[in-house]
Amino acid sequence: LLSTTYRQTPMPAAETTESKHCLKFCEKKKDVLSWGADDYSDPGRQWGEILTESPTTVDPVWLERVKLNQLIFTLDQASKVKIHEPSKCKGCRKANRDLEEAEMSNAFFTTRRQKLTQQLTEQKLEGHMLSLIDTVGTVGEFVRQLPKQTLTGDEIWTQIRARISELEKSKNVSQ
């Protein structure tokens, strides 16, 4: 019915690929719009196929062929990629050696620093012990010079005056 209302004009000849696709698109649209008797005469064609057919529909055989070609291309590219093996790579082995040397030198410096710190601590402790012994000696010397409790007051004063006179003589001699 609709096919009689449209003017049947021949399509111009397709010269380029783009015009071929445009021509195919126009023909499919014309088929969809014209629900004429021609559509019933083709037993393999259903009404739903005519209505759902898209102008961008691609032949499934071509689509599968493109998918297969893409898969083959991807696998080919993946097989060409070289797998990096650090154990065989000169640069990686050199970097590993450099890292090991740096770790060893770091370990050397750490142990050396610990030894020096320990020696310094021991020297300070020894010096402290010597000063403590010297302090104890000074206190002992002071206690020894103190008057004994068994002495009387006059004897104590006599000893004090004698020490004062000794100190004064030593001061005069040193000057």
Side-chain angles (χ1 to χ4, degrees):
L1 299 172
L2 292 175
S3 62
T4 57
T5 58
Y6 287 108
R7 271 186 9 192
Q8 298 289 332
T9 55
M11 297 298 280
E15 296 175 4
T16 64
T17 307
E18 187 176 280
S19 61
K20 287 180 184 178
H21 290 293
C22 183
L23 181 63
K24 189 172 182 178
F25 171 76
C26 291
E27 286 174 359
K28 285 188 178 189
K29 280 299 178 182
K30 182 179 142 196
D31 285 346
V32 169
L33 292 175
S34 63
W35 299 351
D38 294 335
D39 294 326
Y40 289 114
S41 63
D42 187 8
R45 201 159 180 175
Q46 300 287 327
W47 278 101
E49 288 179 18
I50 295 172
L51 296 176
T52 59
E53 221 173 56
S54 168
T56 58
T57 303
V58 179
D59 187 16
V61 173
W62 281 99
L63 186 62
E64 288 301 317
R65 188 175 292 168
V66 168
K67 285 181 183 178
L68 185 61
N69 284 341
Q70 183 61 31
L71 177 66
I72 291 170
F73 177 76
T74 304
L75 291 175
D76 186 42
Q77 293 297 321
S79 69
K80 289 179 182 178
V81 172
K82 292 184 178 180
I83 297 173
H84 181 75
E85 294 183 36
S87 62
K88 294 182 180 179
C89 177
K90 281 186 178 181
C92 291
R93 288 190 309 211
K94 184 179 183 312
N96 281 340
R97 274 195 312 268
D98 292 343
L99 283 174
E100 288 172 359
E101 288 174 6
E103 285 179 11
M104 291 184 71
S105 68
N106 189 20
F108 169 76
F109 287 124
T110 302
T111 55
R112 184 70 181 150
R113 188 188 72 216
Q114 288 173 346
K115 286 180 182 179
L116 289 174
T117 304
Q118 183 180 4
Q119 287 176 355
L120 183 63
T121 305
E122 287 175 1
Q123 287 176 353
K124 286 182 178 180
L125 182 62
E126 186 177 317
H128 177 70
M129 293 301 290
L130 289 175
S131 69
L132 181 64
I133 291 172
D134 189 41
T135 306
V136 170
T138 306
V139 171
E141 218 25 67
F142 175 73
V143 170
R144 192 169 36 98
Q145 291 176 0
L146 286 176
K148 298 183 177 147
Q149 293 179 349
T150 57
L151 296 176
T152 62
D154 291 334
E155 292 173 340
I156 292 174
W157 278 111
T158 311
Q159 285 180 0
I160 290 175
R161 286 186 192 126
R163 284 190 197 149
I164 290 174
S165 64
E166 285 176 18
L167 288 174
E168 287 176 356
K169 286 181 187 176
S170 67
K171 280 185 185 178
N172 290 336
V173 172
S174 65
Q175 288 177 352

